[in-house]
Amino acid sequence: MPDAMVAASLSEATSGGTTQQVDVAVVGAGFAGLYLLHRLRKAGFTTVVLEEADDVGGTWYWNRYPGARCDIQTIDYSYTFDPELESAWKWSEKYATQPEILRYFGFVADRYDLRRDIRFHTRITAATWDQAAERWLLTTNEGATVSCRYYIMATGCLSAPKPPEIDGVKDFKGEVYFTGRWPHEEVKLAGKRVAVIGTGSSGIQSIPLIAEQAAHLTVFQRTPNFALPAHNGPAPADRVALLEGDRASYREQARWSLAGVPWPQQMAVSWQLSDAERRERLDEAWAKGDLVYILTQLWADQGVDVDGNALLADLIREKIHETVKDPETAAALTPHDHPFGAKRPCLDTNYYATYNRPDVTLVNLRQEPIKSITASGIKTDERTFDVDVIVFATGFDAMTGAIMAVHPITGRGGKSLSDVWANGPQTYLGLTVAGFPNLFMITGPGSPSVLSNMAVSIEQHVDWVVDRLIAMRETGFTAIEATETAQAGWARHMADCATLTLHRLANTWYTGANVPGKAQGVMPYTGGVGPYRSICNEVASGGMLGFRLTGPNVAEQCNDGEIVRLQPDVRLVLNMLADMKLPPLESFGAQGARDFLAEFNAARPAGRPVGEVVDGTLPGTDGPLPYRLYRPTTPGPHPIVVYFHGGGWVLGDQESDDPFCRDMCRRTGMIFVSVGYRHAPEHRFPTAAEDGYAATRWIAEHAADLGGKPGPVMVAGWSAGANIAAVTCQLARDRAGPQISGQLLVCPVTDCTFDRPSYSDNATGYFLTRSLMYWFWDLYCSPADRTDPRASPLRGKVRSAARRGCRLRRSHGCRGCAGRAT
Ligand code: NA7
């Protein structure tokens, strides 16, 4: 059927009979669902939104507990799609209360007349893909089914409360409340003995207010959490001025930022700051009361390096001890089991100070776990607490819970989503799932969602999805499905990103660890909002890479592949270089390229401190060669690694890989001696190789003088430096020493042949391009000499096990080196 006819036939949104026919069905009338409805309607798609509650608001409809507020500043936690909406609504506080946020959603629903297409009190009980009709059939709790071409889950990440998993809840004779399902009518706590179980955001926000009302409050804490003062009040003048000064640019910056709030990328690293400077930064952040600021703006390594994080966590721990008077209570409230930020930190108002009240008791469940709930209260291993009210602030089955709550979701070939996700959620971009055509998720697992300002992420997802539906309608496609290749590639990229952060080091709802039996893994995309947006844009501009598109009258389109093949940090650097629009390095000439590199290196962050850095010279074959030695902080003598810098035998010196050498020295606990070998074109082959060998020999002979362990040394190198390291090993073997205990070859050049796949696969777009490699080789070595094993060590006497080329590429999927050796 032509697209126009498909659209025409489906756009009769008849709710006659028992099946409502629509183009698109959306589940959830929260932040995402409302914007979806607005955009879909404007784009001419007939749409119905199915919502379990009796009004709009999503998670803000349900979370009515005392103290419930957003923890992203409200000027940022707002829709931005319509400037008129922005000027029509004024937030009264920096962090709006739940009632105000709910009023906002009501205002939005009224302004765009959204309620008429929302079916309230409606829960989906099953969703089934009909392959023949290319439509989803949704059955609901209230009878009428829905048939839709596209099915979009806008169910939110924190909307399925988790059961408390404590025996005896049903036996309790008093009142029971769940923060995630708080009653609409007033809950009277005055004069009552109240227990709160759970100290995540919901507990931390509600505890101070419950304490003010209750006769006595007992808080049952399993894991202490980091909380920071919100300093609520009017929106900060500086942020408002920034927004109002240039609203469009402020919003645009947010869209391309890491967390969806326009703070710049912090460049200073912790070791560049003194203790006093770090403390000053923390105090400033503490006074600001801004979660995103404190998570991103103190120093660049706080979120990616355990040591950089510990410096910050220690300062926050001090703040807790300054506030809480009783040292034992302060110690119990102080988090020690996770890096700061790896678990969602909370914004509080008087949280820690509440424990100074005589009518508030903290029970540390790590010391006395809850045994059961009884008719009169809560029994731990050591005590019984009689209470009138129990508040469960025990959290959610996050990210997947609300999606899986629609059970079963049956895709192509009768596959059930719960089976497909049995070992953890698998998605492409967090938006789609292979095997489930025309199903989309907004802020699904695999998207930045909960690690970002949800408002920005939601708008981006909705715009991307709706724009794709429009494009499909224009081109005659009626079904879209992610490919397995693309999905597997996304999983790899997700894992690569997560490895660079500290989220994997904490048991949290981000990883599924808070729900017993749930498969564990970092569920949100940790690569940042801006990078994610550019990836989504690349998918679309790259011919819907990773999607199969079909339609009745058009040829199938499947541009299969992985959207991100590079390691995220390599991608970041390459993108930055691409943005600089540099001419090819080889066009500078040798000296020009050296000058450029020196300037480039001067601008990079300094490497980490090590025990000692010593510059010296050693005798080479034709005169002294400079070296730089890096010594660990630990007591020696240490094993020695002789290191050769990269730079195509033409560029660099003993200092040019300084941050890398420091890092290696620190992590391995070995001395690194970086050798300044001579360069081409002034000194062509085999000078660099012979210098490398001579230096290694001298260093091995003088190991003890250098503070190292006498005996064999290791050699290491990067790129052309790795070529020298590999050659050195063979020369040492063939020339009776020195003894080499191992070689570390990072992206090594091991052979002169240019017919390796990497030379064509990765020929352009990299810092190290094919033409740059040609240039390096031409400057270093005449064609006649290139097959000499001192230039192409793969041609020397090597055992087959050594023919593995770049180990990083094989074992860690390194593609940044363009795999020259393979
Ligand atoms: P969270 O952050 O998941 O917090 C739940 C809390 O409940 C947390 O302290 C849990 O301890 C505790 N908990 C959960 N189950 C139990 C049992 N069985 N016994 C004792 N304690 C338990 O949920 P929130 O609702 O507070 O916040 C969710 C997000 O909403 C928040 O991060 C904001 O983004 C908004 P645990 O840490 O698991 O040891």
Side-chain angles (χ1 to χ4, degrees), residues 11-295:
S11 60
E12 300 155 15
T14 56
S15 45
T18 54
T19 300
Q20 183 178 5
Q21 302 280 338
V22 285
D23 296 335
V24 189
V26 173
V27 196
F31 216 133
L34 293 182
Y35 181 44
L36 265 169
L37 177 54
H38 172 67
R39 273 237 45 203
L40 287 163
R41 227 195 235 167
K42 267 183 80 174
F45 293 101
T46 57
T47 305
V48 64
V49 175
L50 306 161
E51 169 58 59
E52 197 173 346
D54 62 12
D55 202 354
V56 298
T59 198
W60 293 106
Y61 174 91
W62 300 105
N63 283 272
R64 296 164 182 257
Y65 59 84
R69 289 177 189 270
C70 54
D71 59 10
I72 299 283
Q73 291 195 21
T74 11
I75 56 167
D76 298 304
Y77 190 70
S78 308
Y79 290 115
T80 67
F81 63 87
D82 179 355
E84 284 179 20
L85 169 64
E86 289 205 53
S87 46
W89 179 267
K90 280 273 168 292
W91 292 105
S92 69
E93 287 182 281
K94 177 176 161 191
Y95 297 106
T97 58
Q98 175 271 341
E100 187 176 12
I101 298 173
L102 208 53
R103 278 200 301 282
Y104 175 66
F105 287 125
F107 176 79
V108 171
D110 291 343
R111 187 177 175 91
Y112 302 101
D113 187 20
L114 298 176
R115 283 194 180 85
R116 69 182 154 87
D117 284 323
I118 305 176
R119 274 165 57 177
F120 293 107
H121 301 291
T122 306
R123 187 162 39 81
I124 296 178
T125 50
T128 309
W129 172 248
D130 178 343
Q131 181 66 47
E134 287 189 328
R135 294 178 74 81
W136 284 92
L137 183 68
L138 313 179
T139 54
T140 67
N141 61 330
E142 43 83 270
T145 52
V146 176
S147 165
C148 55
R149 172 75 71 208
Y150 302 105
Y151 176 35
I152 308 182
M153 309 282 286
T155 38
C157 296
L158 295 158
S159 40
K162 165 185 101 79
E165 302 127 10
I166 302 172
D167 289 342
V169 180
K170 288 203 180 76
D171 301 335
F172 183 59
K173 298 277 184 271
E175 299 161 53
V176 171
Y177 300 105
F178 288 81
T179 49
R181 289 288 181 274
W182 198 259
H184 286 211
E185 57 280 4
E186 191 192 350
V187 174
K188 294 195 172 114
L189 299 173
K192 294 181 183 163
R193 296 162 302 168
V194 181
V196 173
I197 301 178
T199 51
S201 241
S202 308
I204 283 173
Q205 287 186 333
S206 59
I207 282 165
L209 293 175
I210 294 175
E212 281 175 15
Q213 299 174 44
H216 193 95
L217 169 64
T218 310
V219 177
F220 294 82
Q221 171 196 270
R222 191 162 64 183
T223 312
N225 219 338
F226 289 100
L228 322 155
H231 297 304
N232 204 13
D238 56 340
R239 301 304 290 173
V240 173
L242 212 59
L243 172 67
E244 289 179 353
D246 187 347
R247 190 172 286 269
S249 138
Y250 182 97
R251 296 298 188 210
E252 197 57 13
Q253 281 174 45
R255 291 180 189 122
W256 291 98
S257 66
L258 279 182
V261 179
W263 290 109
Q265 172 85 47
Q266 177 54 246
M267 296 307 283
V269 279
S270 61
W271 58 90
Q272 286 178 308
L273 304 166
S274 66
D275 285 353
E277 284 169 328
R278 285 196 295 266
R279 194 173 289 274
E280 200 180 309
R281 285 184 178 216
L282 189 265
D283 286 343
E284 194 186 324
W286 203 255
K288 260 193 179 22
D290 185 311
L291 201 55
V292 179
Y293 184 89
I294 204 166
L295 281 168

Side-chain angles (χ1 to χ4, degrees), residues 285-309:
W286 203 255
K288 260 193 179 22
D290 185 311
L291 201 55
V292 179
Y293 184 89
I294 204 166
L295 281 168
T296 60
Q297 296 298 302
L298 297 205
W299 40 88
D301 49 315
Q302 66 181 72
V304 292
D305 180 84
V306 176
D307 295 343
N309 188 279

